[in-house]
Amino acid sequence: MEEFVPQEFKLDLRLEIQSDLEYPIKLSQTADYVDVYQLVQQIMHQQEGLIENLALKVNKSILENFPHIQSCVCRITKWPVLGGPGFVRFEAKDERA
């Protein structure tokens, strides 16, 4: 049933860059968050059966496309399709080797 009913999700990201950078950090040393947002938006508009796969796909794509990001935590929350109390949340963390 869930695959036929549009759903709303909340997505939180925690991105980490190199910790040895000095103030002031330049855009060339981090990620342009407009670009990150657009990438995540593209992924979230693709049909996917599990929020776990969405979170893993977001992390993988961010690390592949933004070389200054060292680690990424993606947390996705969704609510019951037909309403009701509670929610489901999944969190995945990936980092560069």
Side-chain angles (χ1 to χ4, degrees):
M1 168 140 211
E2 287 188 351
E3 59 196 55
F4 302 110
V5 179
Q7 298 182 57
E8 288 190 28
F9 298 92
K10 177 183 175 189
L11 187 141
D12 297 297
L13 287 176
R14 186 174 70 230
L15 307 175
E16 295 180 3
I17 59 174
Q18 294 174 237
S19 60
D20 61 346
L21 295 176
E22 293 184 22
Y23 177 82
I25 295 172
K26 298 177 182 86
L27 182 57
S28 63
Q29 296 172 296
T30 186
D32 184 331
Y33 299 114
V34 171
D35 294 340
V36 172
Y37 176 85
Q38 289 174 343
L39 176 66
V40 171
Q41 188 178 38
Q42 289 173 2
I43 294 167
M44 293 301 291
H45 280 95
Q46 298 170 7
Q47 180 137 1
E48 184 60 66
L50 299 170
I51 62 172
E52 291 86 347
N53 288 334
L54 277 173
L56 295 171
K57 192 182 291 187
V58 165
N59 284 350
K60 181 179 180 196
S61 295
I62 287 173
L63 292 175
E64 285 177 353
N65 288 282
F66 301 97
H68 296 295
I69 300 296
Q70 299 301 308
S71 71
C72 181
V73 177
C74 177
R75 181 173 61 195
I76 300 177
T77 305
K78 76 174 196 170
W79 290 264
V81 174
L82 300 176
F87 57 87
V88 175
R89 178 177 290 149
F90 178 79
E91 181 174 296
K93 178 177 182 177
D94 286 300
E95 52 191 41
R96 294 193 185 282

